[in-house]
Amino acid sequence: MTDETKLLPEYLYLWSLCERTIRAVNAASTGSAAVSRNRFREEFFLEFDIPLPSLDGQWAIVSAWEQAKAEIACIHRRLSELEEQIEVDFLAALGLSKPERATLPKVFGIGWRDLDRWSVMYNQLTSISVDIAAGKYPVCVLGEIATVSYGIQKCPANRPGHHARPYLRVANVQRGELDLSEVKTINVPDTDMPSFRLKPGDLLVCEGNSADLVGRPAIWHGEIRDCVHQNHILKVRVDREQVLPEFVLEYMQTAPARIHFRSRAKFTTNLASINSNDLRELNLVVPPLSRQREIVEKVTEQRNTISKLKTEAEKKSKLAKSYVESMIHGTKPVSNSN
């Protein structure tokens, strides 16, 4: 509890987020971070010196932070709208409609002859579908136009050695993009590299994740030389005479693909997983290559807009945090705007 005649709780919260405060807390902590046993005792916290402007000054700092948060939240709402519009436009180009969002019933009835699996989620999903055969273009199975393969299995025998190669883990494959901020290595002899080496245009699909993210895809553009992938990631190499990998990437993020992956998923505690056959049997709409290029070009423009907005949001967030910290520590005058 704080004495609000002297210290606003909102101001105290902002002070606790300051880099200087975090460094001081880490320095005063005891224990081993390696085993998550760090401790920060209450008496240490009570001894901290807190910059204390007047209440009006504290309110001004809090207001500046709230204003910045509101602006950033507005950008994130716009980002969500643009992401949803990409899917709507993509499906519309195929002559399809995105299914309406609906609250799935917690209680429902189904006949024995209609019960394919002992899974509540699976049977709920049967009430949500997209008839892709009703679109403008023919439908084919992914396995007819692409090869699907697993990556290398991590084991003590292939710890990084004389043939250390960069390899992608599930953590590197995000929805629609790769996170290459941390890429580890694994030992792969030269003789095995031809079957594991990633090539530009390869699609990478996570076999396991949460129910909403199972089957999340990304595309490899050759960012790292001689890179391979682990066996929990499925590699899809398409026949480029029939389909563009960028087109398949976008399709895998739409409702028809998500429904397919979730309906095929096997569930354990907090984890859903698919296998290579589930991926090969994905039905997808295949327009002519020229139409695929047009669709991909439009999506690329939309994603470029999204990327710029994300950069703007990140910049605003960093500037707001820096500005508020400067006001708290007195290196900049307290102002009602940022």
Side-chain angles (χ1 to χ4, degrees):
M1 297 287 290
T2 63
D3 181 351
E4 295 190 28
T5 64
K6 298 179 181 178
L7 176 64
L8 298 176
E10 298 88 348
Y11 174 83
L12 179 62
Y13 170 72
L14 292 179
W15 170 81
S16 70
L17 296 179
C18 291
E19 292 294 334
R20 193 179 301 183
T21 306
I22 293 171
R23 288 196 299 269
V25 168
N26 289 336
S29 298
T30 58
S32 172
V35 291
S36 300
R37 290 180 181 171
N38 273 16
R39 293 289 184 270
F40 180 63
R41 288 189 285 186
E42 179 183 350
E43 57 266 31
F44 290 167
F45 185 77
L46 295 175
E47 290 175 359
F48 276 9
D49 291 327
I50 301 176
L52 200 63
S54 66
L55 284 179
D56 287 342
Q58 293 177 45
W59 274 122
I61 293 172
V62 171
S63 296
W65 175 250
E66 292 295 336
Q67 180 183 336
K69 280 205 310 181
E71 292 175 359
I72 295 167
C74 184
I75 295 175
H76 282 294
R77 285 194 296 270
R78 178 61 178 151
L79 284 170
S80 296
E81 292 170 358
L82 290 173
E83 287 281 3
E84 188 168 347
Q85 192 61 45
I86 287 177
E87 183 175 357
V88 170
D89 292 346
F90 185 91
L91 291 175
L94 303 179
L96 303 171
S97 299
K98 183 180 178 181
E100 294 291 331
R101 290 183 179 179
T103 302
L104 297 177
K106 293 183 179 180
V107 178
F108 59 93
I110 187 170
W112 281 107
R113 63 182 179 181
D114 300 319
L115 187 62
D116 294 328
R117 286 168 57 179
W118 286 102
S119 168
V120 173
M121 180 172 290
Y122 173 83
N123 288 292
Q124 284 177 326
L125 284 170
T126 60
S127 64
I128 305 173
S129 63
V130 179
D131 183 8
I132 61 175
K136 299 178 182 178
Y137 304 106
V139 176
C140 78
V141 176
L142 181 62
E144 296 174 352
I145 58 172
T147 59
V148 179
S149 58
Y150 286 95
I152 190 168
Q153 183 173 2
K154 186 178 179 181
C155 64
N158 54 32
R159 289 174 179 167
H162 294 297
H163 300 93
R165 319 282 185 174
Y167 81 106
L168 301 185
R169 301 163 291 127
V170 171
N172 298 120
V173 180
Q174 301 301 309
R175 187 168 181 175
E177 61 185 8
L178 293 171
D179 178 0
L180 302 178
S181 57
E182 182 185 14
V183 177
K184 298 186 177 182
T185 58
I186 195 169
N187 206 66
V188 185
D190 292 341
T191 53
D192 294 340
M193 280 301 293
S195 60
F196 290 118
R197 182 185 286 112
L198 290 172
K199 295 182 179 180
D202 284 345
L203 296 168
L204 302 166
V205 181
C206 292
E207 68 164 3
N209 213 294
S210 64
D212 289 332
L213 293 176
V214 64
R216 69 183 182 191
I219 192 168
W220 179 251
H221 291 296
E223 291 89 339
I224 303 172
R225 183 181 176 183
D226 286 341
C227 191
V228 299
H229 62 105
Q230 71 171 169
N231 64 316
H232 294 302
I233 298 173
L234 296 162
K235 178 175 68 183
V236 179
R237 185 167 291 170
V238 304
D239 178 358
R240 297 199 186 199
E241 293 185 0
Q242 300 185 65
V243 69
L244 300 176
E246 295 83 3
F247 176 83
V248 178
L249 172 69
E250 292 300 331
Y251 186 86
M252 284 183 175
Q253 298 179 75
T254 62
R258 292 199 305 272
I259 291 170
H260 171 82
F261 293 141
R262 289 186 65 177
S263 66
R264 290 297 192 91
K266 286 74 177 174
F267 289 89
T268 56
T269 304
N270 298 324
L271 184 66
S273 63
I274 57 173
N275 58 39
S276 58
N277 286 331
D278 296 327
L279 186 52
R280 290 187 188 96
E281 292 169 7
L282 171 67
N283 290 316
L284 68 157
V285 183
V286 184
L289 281 174
S290 58
R291 182 60 177 141
Q292 291 180 42
R293 289 191 185 94
E294 292 174 358
I295 294 171
V296 168
E297 285 173 3
K298 180 177 181 180
V299 171
T300 300
E301 291 177 4
Q302 292 172 304
R303 294 213 178 277
N304 285 340
T305 300
I306 288 173
S307 179
K308 290 177 183 177
L309 282 174
K310 284 182 177 178
T311 300
E312 181 183 346
E314 290 171 0
K315 184 178 179 180
K316 277 185 173 290
S317 180
K318 289 179 181 178
L319 285 174
K321 189 173 186 296
S322 174
Y323 192 79
V324 166
E325 288 194 25
S326 297
M327 287 191 291
I328 288 175
H329 292 290
T331 57
K332 285 187 178 179
V334 174
S335 172
N336 284 313
S337 64
N338 60 349

